[in-house]
């Protein structure tokens, strides 16, 4: 369950990182938060609807692939717009921010449902791959 909390932390960190960007790069920030919301929403909904270990593995792999694309965008954004720490939100992001907050609130329940499949070696392997990909965010 500790790995699940780590994944939750990374998802929320990405959300807060993107949502705290400065006014420069606002179109990039909007695109990134929109993509993050979509990837996270698909992940949470997929886990909530999983009927077996194969479903869970598929959802985790889909999320990992989405994050593989998103992480470099986030890293590039951080590099190009270090002023994100000022906490100013670009205008027009309210709906996406609300969507991300709603999706993020559902993560714990979805993860609890998945615990019944955590002993499956395929699920463990998929979780490990996802965790490894998430560590790239901090590099």
């Amino acid at each position: 369950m500790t790995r699940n909390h780590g994944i939750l932390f990374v998802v929320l960190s990405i959300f807060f990182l993107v949502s705290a960007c400065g006014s420069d790069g606002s179109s990039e920030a909007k695109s990134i938060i929109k993509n993050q919301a979509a990837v996270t929403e698909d992940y949470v909904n997929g886990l909530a609807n999983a009927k077996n270990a194969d479903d869970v593995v598929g959802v985790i792999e889909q999320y990992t692939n989405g994050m593989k694309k998103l992480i470099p965008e986030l890293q590039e954004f951080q590099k190009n717009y270090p002023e994100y720490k000022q906490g100013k939100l670009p205008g027009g992001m309210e709906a996406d921010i609300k969507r991300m907050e709603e999706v993020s609130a559902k993560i714990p329940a979805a993860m609890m449902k998945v615990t019944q499949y955590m002993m499956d070696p395929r699920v463990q392997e998929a979780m490990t791959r996802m965790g490894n990909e998430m560590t790239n965010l901090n590099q």
Side-chain angles (χ1 to χ4, degrees):
M1 200 61 179
T2 303
R3 177 170 286 155
N4 294 339
H5 288 125
I7 292 166
L8 175 61
F9 173 76
V10 171
V11 168
L12 294 176
S13 295
I14 292 169
F15 165 68
F16 289 118
L17 168 69
V18 174
S19 67
C21 66
S23 60
D24 290 330
S26 63
S27 64
E28 285 180 68
K30 288 177 187 178
S31 175
I32 290 170
I33 192 66
K34 195 175 283 279
N35 290 341
Q36 174 64 20
V39 168
T40 304
E41 190 171 56
D42 289 346
Y43 177 66
V44 170
N45 290 338
L47 291 179
N49 295 321
K51 305 271 190 261
N52 54 48
D54 289 334
D55 290 349
V56 173
V57 169
V59 169
I60 293 169
E61 288 176 352
Q62 181 181 0
Y63 180 73
T64 301
N65 291 335
M67 291 307 295
K68 275 181 151 175
K69 181 178 183 288
L70 192 59
I71 287 171
E73 292 176 21
L74 286 164
Q75 291 170 329
E76 186 68 19
F77 183 83
Q78 288 175 336
K79 188 172 102 179
N80 291 336
Y81 303 101
E83 65 274 11
Y84 73 90
K85 292 180 183 178
Q86 295 174 352
K88 297 178 185 172
L89 289 175
M93 291 184 63
E94 294 81 10
D96 291 317
I97 296 296
K98 182 175 174 141
R99 177 180 172 202
M100 193 64 198
E101 288 171 348
E102 289 171 354
V103 168
S104 295
K106 295 177 184 177
I107 291 173
M111 293 307 295
M112 288 304 294
K113 181 176 186 243
V114 171
T115 58
Q116 63 186 314
Y117 304 112
M118 291 306 290
M119 297 310 292
D120 188 295
R122 295 166 299 154
V123 173
Q124 292 174 359
E125 210 173 291
M127 292 293 285
T128 299
R129 282 192 306 272
M130 181 174 64
N132 291 339
E133 192 60 40
M134 292 304 181
T135 61
N136 291 331
L137 179 62
N138 297 321
Q139 297 177 354

